[in-house]
Every structure is written in C-alpha cells, then in structure tokens.
Amino acid sequence: MTGADVLLLALGAVAVGSGALVVLTDHLVRAGLYLVVCLGAVAGLYLVLAAELVAWVQVLIYVGAVVVLLLFAVMLTRAPIGRSDDLNRPAWPAAVIGGGAGLGLAALLADAYRWTRVPYPEPGTAERLGEAVFQTWVLPFEVLSILLLAALVGAIVVSRGQH
C-alpha cells in the first residue's frame, strides 16, 4: 500500500464521516460547517488523484460559494440555528432508506466493474478543457449562476418580509 493509497483512505474516511455528521446533526450552522469539511476532503481526494483543476473548482464553487450562500441564507432568514424539537423526525425510516440506497449503489458499482481494471483516459490539455467548458458546458454554468442568484434574492425578500 502506497502513501497515496493511505491518503485516499484517510480523506475518504473524513469525507464520509463529515458527510454523516451533516445529516445527523441537529444544528443547522454546524451542518454547514461539516459540509465544508466534507467538500474540502473531496477536494483533497481530487488533489491526490492529480486533478488539480477539479480540486480548485471544488474549493471555489462548492466550498467558497454554495456553502457560504447556504450560511448566508440561514443568517438572513433568521431560521432556527440550534436544536429544534418541532422539526426532528424519527431516524429509523431515513436509516432504512439510506442504507438500502447505499447497498444498492455498492452492488451496482461492483456489478458494473466486476473488479476489473479500467484503462486510464487520454490525458487532458488546457485547450481541450477550455473547449469543453466554454462550448459544451456554458449553458448549464449560466443556468446554475441564475439559480444561485435567485436563491440569494429570495433569501433577501423572505428576510425583509419579517419586519
């Protein structure tokens, strides 16, 4: 087992553990901070896999924008930040559904690859990446930016209506 394998296992454990804490915590702000840890660990996984650009996109867009927007919306709407007894629901249905989905996905993954080695794709270049982003993916990127802007404006409108 190489150092990269150990690092992948450690970062994967951090990502899975903090992802579980996002779902299991009763505090909304703590869930957002656990989400930062989870997404940061995923960015670390990308770095270990030598996908530096994807790692920086992960940090800039997900950690830097989405989580900040989530926390900003929570603070603007004055949502309950701490534990809220009226919002808590029984955990066993979620555990059954989540466990079943996890087992189903694991079986699907094992069946799809059948423990064979997958060949590496051709290495990418900055030119090919730029063409893909600015020709193929420009419309989804713009739609996502409009969606985030609408969420921000909606949070401001909801928070102003409480005065």
Side-chain angles (χ1 to χ4, degrees):
M1 183 173 270
T2 65
D5 293 337
V6 172
L7 198 54
L8 281 172
L9 286 173
L11 286 170
V14 169
V16 169
S18 59
L21 287 173
V22 168
V23 177
L24 296 175
T25 187
D26 292 332
H27 298 271
L28 190 58
V29 174
R30 288 183 187 167
L33 296 176
Y34 289 138
L35 185 61
V36 168
V37 172
C38 180
L39 295 173
V42 171
L45 289 169
Y46 288 136
L47 280 176
V48 173
L49 294 172
E52 292 87 5
L53 180 68
V54 179
W56 282 114
V57 167
Q58 174 84 12
V59 169
L60 290 175
I61 292 179
Y62 287 106
V63 176
V66 173
V67 174
V68 169
L69 181 67
L70 171 84
L71 294 176
F72 185 65
V74 166
M75 299 302 174
L76 266 179
T77 59
R78 295 185 184 97
I81 293 174
R83 181 178 172 88
S84 179
D85 292 329
D86 60 336
L87 297 178
N88 291 335
R89 306 225 170 26
W92 68 268
V96 169
I97 292 171
L103 288 174
L105 287 174
L108 181 69
L109 183 70
D111 183 54
Y113 289 105
R114 299 206 185 267
W115 307 109
T116 58
R117 291 197 173 267
V118 178
Y120 288 116
E122 181 182 333
T125 62
E127 180 182 358
R128 284 186 27 216
L129 180 66
E131 286 175 1
V133 168
F134 293 114
Q135 289 178 355
T136 307
W137 294 102
V138 70
L139 182 63
F141 178 78
E142 291 301 325
V143 169
L144 180 64
S145 66
I146 291 170
L147 177 69
L148 290 174
L149 177 65
L152 181 63
V153 169
I156 292 171
V157 168
V158 167
S159 70
R160 290 183 148 266
Q162 295 178 355
H163 290 299

